[in-house]
Amino acid sequence: MGKVTLTVKKAKNLQTIQLHKPYWCDKYSVKVNGENADLRITRKWKKGDVIELNLDMRPRLVEANPLVEEAKNQVAVMRGPIVYCLEGQDIQGDCRISDIALPADIQLKEVAMTIEGHSFTALEGDAIVTNNKTWDNQTLYRELSKPSSQKVRIRLIPYYAWDNRGIQDMSLWLNLAR
């Protein structure tokens, strides 16, 4: 949950407080001084009243408009308003980012992580290896190989945290396996 706490400092002439639920939030709860409330709160306010807004921050896959040709059959991962990305070192085994796809029903688990002293929530789940053949630098084309059903563990980090662990591949838009 994304928790927002507001404390009333001055209550003179204050009658209504209207909170906003962001578009990305499916579930939320509001409490005033520990009691359930709604997004629009009309009451006699006093100094020290506390409003808590809890926003569901579940991970979800998002797709681009079909007019964005470069992102066709790809998805980005968001948790609340935060966009996530995949760095090469966060793929288990010897796979490249371009060789994996996220299942449409991927289950992403929130895990605590720290990079360079900064703590945040990372997401872990099982992706699918779509290509387990390597290319040599002499071949421009080859016959399409059978799809793989091999799974690989991945970790996604917030986009703002990438490029802090050395030079490596990174992608925000990831292939989708339907």
Side-chain angles (χ1 to χ4, degrees):
M1 283 283 203
K3 184 176 180 179
V4 179
T5 303
L6 305 169
T7 303
V8 176
K9 297 289 185 186
K10 294 182 181 181
K12 188 177 181 179
N13 299 324
L14 181 60
Q15 294 179 354
T16 301
I17 294 178
Q18 176 75 46
L19 303 173
H20 171 72
K21 178 191 76 72
Y23 79 94
W24 49 261
C25 181
D26 295 334
K27 297 177 187 172
Y28 67 92
S29 67
V30 180
K31 292 187 180 221
V32 177
N33 299 329
E35 294 183 17
N36 290 335
D38 209 352
L39 290 173
R40 182 178 175 84
I41 311 162
T42 302
R43 60 177 279 151
K44 182 159 176 66
W45 294 96
K46 59 185 181 300
K47 183 179 178 180
D49 282 341
V50 176
I51 303 168
E52 277 185 23
L53 172 62
N54 288 295
L55 305 171
D56 185 17
M57 299 267 292
R58 70 174 174 80
R60 65 196 192 288
L61 303 182
V62 296
E63 61 185 343
N65 184 302
L67 296 175
V68 182
E69 291 185 24
E70 293 79 9
K72 281 187 178 177
N73 201 40
Q74 293 185 329
V75 291
V77 177
M78 293 183 74
R79 180 180 161 269
I82 302 169
V83 177
Y84 281 71
C85 67
L86 178 62
E87 288 188 296
Q89 75 182 47
D90 292 322
I91 303 171
Q92 182 183 55
D94 190 27
C95 294
R96 297 173 305 182
I97 290 174
S98 60
D99 293 339
I100 67 162
L102 298 184
D105 62 351
I106 189 170
Q107 298 297 308
L108 294 168
K109 179 182 173 188
E110 298 176 7
V111 295
M113 186 173 174
T114 301
I115 296 177
E116 296 290 324
H118 175 73
S119 298
F120 54 83
T121 300
L123 303 171
E124 290 183 351
D126 292 326
I128 297 170
V129 178
T130 58
N131 179 19
N132 51 12
K133 289 185 177 179
T134 58
W135 285 85
D136 63 53
N137 290 337
Q138 307 299 314
T139 305
L140 187 55
Y141 304 102
R142 70 176 180 206
E143 189 170 338
L144 183 65
S145 60
K146 290 183 180 180
S148 167
S149 60
Q150 177 187 351
K151 292 192 175 191
V152 63
R153 192 79 174 162
I154 62 167
R155 180 185 314 127
L156 299 149
I157 64 169
Y159 179 65
Y160 66 78
W162 80 279
D163 200 26
N164 285 291
R165 299 177 288 169
I167 297 171
Q168 60 192 322
D169 290 341
M170 182 280 292
S171 186
L172 187 144
W173 290 103
L174 301 166
N175 293 328
L176 176 65
R178 294 189 191 257

